[in-house]
Amino acid sequence: MKSSEKTFTAIVETAYRMFSEYGIAKTTYSMIAEEVGISKPSIYYYFKSKEELINYIFEEVCKAIEFSAFFTLKNFTKDNFKDELVAVGFRMIEEQAKDKHFNRVIQEYLLLASRNKKYIQRFEMVQQEFLVGFEDLLKRGSDLGVTSSVNVHAKAHMLAMILDNIGNFMLLDVKIDYKQVWIEAVATIIRDEV
Amino acid sequence: MKSSEKTFTAIVETAYRMFSEYGIAKTTYSMIAEEVGISKPSIYYYFKSKEELINYIFEEVCKAIEFSAFFTLKNFTKDNFKDELVAVGFRMIEEQAKDKHFNRVIQEYLLLASRNKKYIQRFEMVQQEFLVGFEDLLKRGSDLGVTSSVNVHAKAHMLAMILDNIGNFMLLDVKIDYKQVWIEAVATIIRDEV
DNA sequence: GTCTATAATCGGATAGAC
DNA sequence: GTCTATCCGATTATAGAC
């Protein structure tokens, strides 16, 4: 790794951490520079404005939360459907719990997106992919005969909401057994197919 | 209403709207003053620092989102249990849809709270009240024989998460039939009690 | 690539007149 | 209560040397 790449990475990682700790608006080039150990104007060599840095990290975050980063439709079979669904949910919960900055940065960008056309479209893509992904998954489940075929749409959205909001609850460090909640949610999808 | 009260109200309402539109960090006394039509230092007569203004609006927001502001346990009977649960959820959804600034301001404060001991405790109170409230409600439901008595804890948390996250989805203007999702969620609680 | 120096602007906050 | 004037520190960003 070239020295310039090292600096680039250091800037991005430090900015990400500070976006989480202090918020995007209150994170300044001075703070990042001091933490990285370079001068403030040096950052402008890599990102010609603060906005460009914000954009870059936004794209990184989006890639990390895509539905396809977690779910692979064809991994779900008649025999493993429920277990697989539970397992993937667990993996997402663990991923979120592992990186303590993750949820906060997502929320920061969610707010930014809600105010800014530039971000909102990209975020809607991710969100939509998730809803459609869950819907396809439940359709497959109903084809396989392991889930009900009624209200697939609303059920898919319900699952998406629960998984999504686990991050929100984690923000406040709410003492909940998140995995148990997910098990319960999956069970409501499977259950009425006795 | 005295003139001073009018100014006070104008400051608070303008700040609330601007916290939503631009974020708490990027809302300045200058912006508020200009919008209200007074000078910047005049605001200091009412709020001796920006932090004090932030605190005041935080308290207002907390009062508006308390469980008891929506749910009254004794309104739930054997006959109306499901309908009442659906209806109260609808009322919350409508409340959120009505005030377009509400969700954003909540998310702003959620992030603030996640970084600040001062806010986090108050928010945890609200959150906890909601979780316990739903749990009590489901216990009552199971006493009345309309809901299952298994996994009441996780089910209550699931309901809380769904209702809570509807606001999050609204932020991105996700095209979902929120009421249908809530109906589905309530149904999963009732359903297995055939 | 990284630095020093600096411009231009804006933030929160106070003093003190009316 | 509301104003004008003002302080001080911080912010984004650029110019230009090395």
Side-chain angles (χ1 to χ4, degrees):
Chain A
M1 195 190 248
K2 281 190 294 188
S3 138
S4 66
E5 281 172 19
K6 241 187 248 170
T7 308
F8 180 86
T9 308
I11 291 170
V12 170
E13 282 173 4
T14 303
Y16 175 80
R17 207 188 62 243
M18 288 188 152
F19 282 1
S20 157
E21 280 177 15
Y22 310 109
I24 294 173
K26 298 208 130 184
T27 299
T28 68
Y29 266 28
S30 312
M31 290 158 70
I32 299 169
E34 195 181 4
E35 194 82 357
V36 173
I38 54 177
S39 74
K40 190 168 54 165
S42 293
I43 304 179
Y44 285 89
Y45 175 78
Y46 297 95
F47 300 96
K48 74 171 192 293
S49 69
K50 192 183 167 185
E51 206 189 338
E52 210 178 69
L53 173 60
I54 294 171
N55 288 346
Y56 182 85
I57 294 181
F58 176 64
E59 212 21 72
E60 297 270 287
V61 165
C62 281
K63 281 183 213 149
I65 57 171
E66 277 168 357
F67 186 82
S68 53
F70 297 97
F71 288 88
T72 310
L73 201 63
K74 59 185 174 195
N75 284 357
F76 288 76
T77 66
K78 188 180 170 63
D79 289 336
N80 77 359
F81 196 91
K82 183 179 177 180
D83 292 345
E84 180 71 11
L85 191 49
V86 168
V88 180
F90 279 18
R91 231 174 293 147
M92 287 185 71
I93 292 168
E94 277 154 18
E95 201 76 23
Q96 286 184 71
K98 208 174 60 189
D99 178 0
K100 62 179 177 173
H101 301 298
F102 188 75
N103 288 322
R104 280 214 284 251
V105 175
I106 297 269
Q107 286 305 121
E108 282 284 329
Y109 276 108
L110 184 65
L111 275 167
L112 219 60
S114 78
R115 298 184 183 113
N116 187 321
K117 299 188 277 283
K118 225 172 54 193
Y119 299 113
I120 201 163
Q121 285 190 323
R122 181 74 174 94
F123 244 147
E124 276 174 355
M125 250 176 63
V126 174
Q127 192 78 263
Q128 195 56 29
E129 199 203 57
F130 237 91
L131 295 176
V132 172
F134 264 125
E135 208 168 337
D136 288 347
L137 195 61
L138 290 195
K139 274 181 201 150
R140 183 181 174 88
S142 108
D143 287 346
L144 293 170
V146 286
T147 66
S148 162
S149 61
V150 291
N151 284 347
V152 169
H153 193 72
K155 276 176 186 157
H157 288 16
M158 196 184 76
L159 285 185
M161 279 195 179
I162 291 164
L163 219 42
D164 189 78
N165 205 22
I166 284 174
N168 234 345
F169 271 58
M170 280 180 176
L171 266 187
L172 279 186
D173 211 24
V174 181
K175 298 288 179 262
I176 280 185
D177 186 341
Y178 298 103
K179 291 187 175 180
Q180 191 56 45
V181 170
W182 181 241
I183 287 174
E184 188 60 35
V186 172
T188 66
I189 297 298
I190 304 284
R191 185 181 298 147
D192 56 356
E193 202 53 20
V194 186
Chain B
M1 196 191 248
K2 280 188 294 188
S3 136
S4 67
E5 280 170 21
K6 241 187 247 171
T7 308
F8 180 86
T9 308
I11 291 170
V12 170
E13 281 172 5
T14 303
Y16 174 80
R17 207 188 61 243
M18 289 191 151
F19 283 1
S20 157
E21 279 176 15
Y22 310 108
I24 295 174
K26 299 207 126 183
T27 299
T28 69
Y29 266 28
S30 311
M31 290 159 68
I32 299 169
E34 195 181 2
E35 192 81 0
V36 173
I38 54 175
S39 72
K40 186 165 67 159
S42 292
I43 305 178
Y44 285 89
Y45 175 78
Y46 297 95
F47 299 97
K48 74 170 193 291
S49 69
K50 191 183 168 185
E51 207 190 336
E52 211 178 66
L53 173 60
I54 294 170
N55 288 346
Y56 181 85
I57 294 181
F58 177 64
E59 208 26 68
E60 296 270 288
V61 166
C62 281
K63 278 182 213 148
I65 58 173
E66 275 167 359
F67 185 83
S68 54
F70 297 96
F71 289 88
T72 310
L73 200 62
K74 60 185 173 199
N75 285 357
F76 288 77
T77 66
K78 187 178 172 65
D79 290 333
N80 76 359
F81 197 90
K82 184 180 175 178
D83 292 343
E84 179 73 10
L85 191 49
V86 169
V88 181
F90 279 16
R91 231 174 293 147
M92 287 185 72
I93 291 168
E94 277 153 19
E95 200 76 23
Q96 286 183 70
K98 209 174 57 190
D99 178 1
K100 62 180 177 169
H101 301 298
F102 188 74
N103 288 322
R104 281 216 284 254
V105 175
I106 298 269
Q107 286 305 120
E108 282 286 328
Y109 276 109
L110 185 64
L111 274 167
L112 218 62
S114 78
R115 298 183 182 113
N116 187 321
K117 298 188 279 281
K118 223 171 57 192
Y119 300 112
I120 201 161
Q121 285 191 322
R122 180 73 175 94
F123 245 146
E124 277 173 355
M125 250 175 65
V126 175
Q127 191 79 261
Q128 195 57 28
E129 197 202 57
F130 238 90
L131 294 176
V132 172
F134 265 125
E135 208 168 336
D136 288 347
L137 195 61
L138 290 194
K139 273 182 201 149
R140 182 177 173 90
S142 107
D143 287 347
L144 293 170
V146 285
T147 65
S148 163
S149 61
V150 289
N151 285 347
V152 169
H153 193 71
K155 276 176 186 158
H157 288 16
M158 197 185 76
L159 286 186
M161 278 196 180
I162 292 167
L163 219 42
D164 189 78
N165 206 23
I166 284 174
N168 234 344
F169 270 58
M170 280 180 176
L171 266 188
L172 280 187
D173 210 22
V174 181
K175 297 288 178 264
I176 280 184
D177 186 343
Y178 297 105
K179 291 186 174 179
Q180 191 56 45
V181 170
W182 181 240
I183 287 173
E184 188 59 35
V186 171
T188 67
I189 298 296
I190 305 282
R191 186 180 299 149
D192 57 355
E193 202 55 23
V194 185

